[in-house]
Amino acid sequence: MIITDIAPPAADERYRARTAPSIEVAGRLHKRFEEILTPEALAFLAQLHELFAGARYDRLADRMRRGYEIGNGRDPRFREDTARIREDASWRVAGPGPGLEDRRVEITGPTDPRMTINALNSGARVWLADQEDATSPTWRNVIGGQLSLRDAIRGDLSYTSPDGRRYEVTAERTPTIVMRPRGWHLEEHHLLFTDRHGRTMPASGSLVDFGLYVFHNAEQLIASGAGPYFYLPKIESAEEARLWDHVFSFSEQYLGIPHGTIRATVLIETLPAAFEMEEILYELRDHCAGLNAGRWDYIFSIIKTYRGRGSRFVLPDRNEVTMTVDFMRAYTELLVQTCHRRGAYAIGGMSAFIPNRRDPEANARAMEKVAADKKREAADGFDGTWVAHPDLIPVAQAEFDAVLGDRPNQLERTRDDVRVRERHLLNLWIGRAITDEGVHGNVSVAIRYIEAWLRGLGAVAIDGLMEDAATAEISRSQIWQWIRQEQVTEQGTPITREYVSELVDRVLGEVERSEGDRFDEAAEVFRDVALSPTFRAFLTTKAYADHLVERD
């Protein structure tokens, strides 16, 4: 049904449309784009924007207000106005849809044709088809990813690389697809929405990614025994979850599919959301399959949220912020407890270590670290986990098989032993130092990742770790905070703008340059997001507008 509290105003004389709401394609129509950007699909996108764009702006304004309050000393708390939801033991979420009953190992990755085929052949139970942090949002990637997914769902996907290698889906059993659209804060400048009053603005990346995928694929997915499933990123409040629920309900009605067919798994990857997990489940309860512990964005959110609150909230080197430190343990254990209390699956996060087939020792170390990470998650009660590389699937599955056996989940583990209070989520003390090596590492990783992102790559192996937008955000936001809080390294080096600027020049001298690389632009972006007096909420927003939007 259409949700009345966010429906358009009544069509009386004051609000009579000057023009029909529409979506205009401002980007170039590359090969096969017309198969995705059909008149019918654009009409659906226009309806989504007409109904929900205003509420999206309201939710983003709420984020700014909440960030201002926390920055001025008002810490997040478990909400008093929603206590009745937490105290009511009777409600449950919808739970897994068909094909999501067993989620013990999920592989994540971008949606270009080669990576799509690799994911479908991987042997994982679920594939997170990532249009968000693992995808650089070039226009070709945004619509090309939709084409890859459309072809894969119909069994028509193949790919021949420039060197002549041919890729095809050969697995008898392919993973269930769960697509991750972009977060509420991101825009799509290649599609322009004109509202009923003739005002034109960039489209919402969230509504574009979701809308095109569900419009083209819902019927086919349902016929194949699965359904249109989504991972919801960067949510900060129950109200943002409610907005997604309204989008889902309207879309089901528009497409003529039963209410509750759409299933969502919410990434708890912001500090404010950690205080509203039950409320988020409640708002999405008709469409909710579970929650995921999005560890890297969660660390970034903590740094961003407390960047100006003093040295008590400063974290040490990035590699010291592990899943075993107290505040990360509190966050993940609370997530498992919350999920299982409401019949929702708890999905673990992604260890950044990746295998190296050319270096047996490095490969063994990576496997050992990933195994330890997944063993901890399985023992804590998680029902599944993420990996970023097919070689890690057997490692992760072995740890979850040891706990789950033939069971598809461990929802019966309600973790009544967990007693997480507000102070546990906010105690950021680790007791480790910032080092010269850590500062240099952050600068180097961020610049190398941004350079790849500018070339259209969203997930990149750097120094034995899988880096995406979330890990790059940690690197640059730590630099910004360390400068702001006048930190000094363990070796006695003051972390100043001047010092970091010298490191940028040093990194540019260390990287291997080639014709057509974008390191100079990457360094410019890094200086903007790490050295400017004003903190930018996301490194990707201005960089997208400045560098990835196709200009005529």
Side-chain angles (χ1 to χ4, degrees):
M1 62 180 177
I2 296 177
I3 311 301
T4 56
D5 64 340
I6 53 174
D12 61 19
E13 196 61 38
R14 292 171 299 166
Y15 299 115
R16 191 172 301 281
R18 300 173 187 171
T19 183
S22 65
I23 292 285
E24 173 193 355
V25 180
R28 298 184 184 93
L29 287 175
H30 300 289
K31 184 179 179 180
R32 295 187 63 203
F33 275 29
E34 71 279 359
E35 297 177 33
I36 298 298
L37 301 171
T38 63
E40 296 80 6
L42 295 178
F44 176 57
L45 291 185
Q47 284 292 302
L48 289 178
H49 281 79
E50 176 68 4
L51 288 171
F52 304 112
R56 169 181 172 260
Y57 286 122
D58 290 343
R59 301 291 75 79
L60 294 178
D62 288 345
R63 286 187 184 183
M64 294 180 64
R65 174 187 53 77
R66 189 180 303 110
Y68 177 83
E69 291 174 349
I70 296 173
N72 282 276
R74 183 177 178 180
D75 289 331
R77 293 284 184 262
F78 296 119
R79 291 171 58 167
E80 294 182 6
D81 63 322
T82 57
R84 59 178 178 78
I85 293 173
R86 299 192 301 273
E87 293 165 0
D88 181 357
S90 65
W91 62 269
R92 296 289 185 275
V93 302
L100 288 179
E101 298 89 351
D102 190 326
R103 306 180 63 172
R104 67 187 68 200
V105 182
E106 305 188 357
I107 192 166
T108 73
T111 54
D112 61 274
R114 184 174 69 87
M115 295 302 290
T116 296
I117 292 168
N118 286 345
L120 294 177
N121 286 333
S122 69
R125 301 298 179 101
V126 170
W127 173 40
L128 188 161
D130 196 358
Q131 292 282 88
E132 200 225 11
D133 276 355
T135 291
S136 171
T138 66
W139 181 227
R140 287 181 182 272
N141 284 348
V142 168
I143 304 303
Q146 295 282 348
L147 281 166
S148 295
L149 291 166
R150 183 180 184 275
D151 289 349
I153 288 165
R154 289 158 178 77
D156 296 333
L157 183 63
S158 63
Y159 172 70
T160 301
S161 65
D163 62 5
R165 295 179 62 187
R166 183 169 176 80
Y167 295 80
E168 294 181 326
V169 178
T170 58
E172 292 184 8
R173 180 185 179 279
T174 58
T176 300
I177 298 173
V178 181
M179 197 271 265
R180 176 161 69 167
R182 282 169 284 181
W184 282 128
H185 61 292
L186 295 171
E187 296 177 337
E188 178 48 68
H189 285 231
H190 302 96
L191 294 173
L192 302 178
F193 168 58
T194 300
D195 69 10
R196 62 174 52 205
H197 304 294
R199 296 171 297 200
T200 299
M201 63 205 77
S204 158
S206 295
L207 294 179
V208 167
D209 294 345
F210 163 81
L212 292 175
Y213 181 77
V214 77
F215 182 84
H216 286 294
N217 301 305
E219 182 178 348
Q220 188 75 26
L221 287 164
I222 294 167
S224 70
Y229 302 144
F230 298 90
Y231 261 110
L232 303 182
K234 307 296 189 290
I235 281 180
E236 295 198 10
S237 69
E239 285 74 17
E240 292 184 23
R242 182 188 307 159
L243 176 56
W244 270 118
D245 194 69
H246 291 174
V247 171
F248 294 161
S249 294
F250 168 77
S251 300
E252 288 165 338
Q253 181 191 45
Y254 188 101
L255 298 172
I257 60 179
H259 179 74
T261 300
I262 294 172
R263 287 289 197 276
T265 303
V266 178
L267 290 116
I268 302 300
E269 55 184 355
T270 68
L271 183 63
F275 289 86
E276 300 187 29
M277 285 193 261
E278 282 199 88
E279 291 88 340
I280 288 168
L281 288 175
Y282 180 81
E283 295 296 347
L284 278 161
R285 61 195 180 279
D286 287 353
H287 296 103
C288 195
L291 302 179
N292 170 273
R295 60 179 71 175
W296 304 115
D297 267 306
Y298 188 74
I299 295 169
F300 163 54
S301 177
I302 287 173
I303 299 165
K304 177 171 67 173
T305 301
Y306 281 97
R307 64 189 183 274
R309 286 278 298 272
S311 59
R312 182 164 66 92
F313 299 99
V314 171
L315 297 177
D317 286 0
R318 195 184 87 167
N319 61 8
E320 299 287 357
V321 189
T322 67
M323 297 306 296
T324 59
V325 301
D326 288 347
F327 64 90
M328 294 300 286
R329 290 289 292 156
Y331 145 71
T332 53
E333 291 193 318
L334 178 62
L335 187 147
V336 172
Q337 182 189 56
T338 302
C339 284
H340 289 185
R341 186 176 181 222
R342 303 301 182 179
Y345 280 35
I347 308 300
M350 186 181 73
S351 174
F353 297 98
I354 55 175
N356 185 339
R357 296 171 181 173
R358 290 173 292 185
D359 185 338
E361 291 185 7
N363 192 65
R365 287 194 299 271
M367 295 291 189
E368 181 180 356
K369 290 176 179 178
V370 171
D373 183 62
K374 304 314 171 190
K375 182 175 183 178
R376 174 190 49 77
E377 287 183 331
D380 283 349
F382 281 95
D383 304 291
T385 191
W386 283 4
V387 297
H389 193 283
D391 287 357
L392 298 175
I393 291 172
V395 177
Q397 181 151 332
E399 299 301 336
F400 274 83
D401 286 350
V403 172
L404 294 178
D406 295 331
R407 296 174 300 151
N409 59 67
Q410 47 183 332
L411 291 177
E412 75 284 354
R413 288 200 61 199
T414 54
R415 291 305 308 272
D416 296 331
D417 57 306
V418 171
R419 297 286 187 273
V420 172
R421 302 291 183 260
E422 292 159 346
R423 67 181 184 275
H424 299 135
L425 294 171
L426 298 176
N427 178 16
L428 305 186
W429 186 84
I430 294 178
R432 304 301 293 268
I434 303 168
T435 67
D436 286 356
E437 183 181 7
V439 180
H440 174 267
N442 276 6
V443 176
S444 178
V445 166
I447 289 175
R448 285 186 285 168
Y449 176 79
I450 293 168
E451 192 275 336
W453 186 86
L454 292 173
R455 288 188 289 108
L457 302 175
V460 188
I462 299 176
D463 297 338
L465 300 175
M466 183 61 72
E467 305 284 349
D468 66 7
T471 55
E473 290 282 23
I474 295 172
S475 295
R476 70 91 182 185
S477 60
Q478 279 198 308
I479 294 292
W480 193 97
Q481 186 187 36
W482 290 342
I483 294 171
R484 172 69 176 268
Q485 299 302 330
E486 300 179 341
Q487 296 297 293
V488 177
T489 70
E490 187 176 41
Q491 291 77 21
T493 306
I495 306 174
T496 63
R497 285 184 175 84
E498 294 73 22
Y499 173 62
V500 174
S501 185
E502 292 173 2
L503 287 178
V504 173
D505 294 335
R506 176 178 156 190
V507 167
L508 289 177
E510 293 169 342
V511 296
E512 184 176 343
R513 303 296 299 262
S514 61
E515 184 178 354
D517 72 40
R518 304 191 69 173
F519 279 109
D520 292 330
E521 294 162 281
E524 175 190 342
V525 171
F526 178 80
R527 292 182 195 275
D528 178 54
V529 297
L531 301 183
S532 296
T534 302
F535 184 85
R536 297 196 182 278
F538 294 94
L539 74 83
T540 52
T541 48
K542 185 171 184 294
Y544 167 76
D546 289 349
H547 297 281
L548 297 191
V549 176
E550 294 184 1
R551 311 290 184 185
D552 291 330

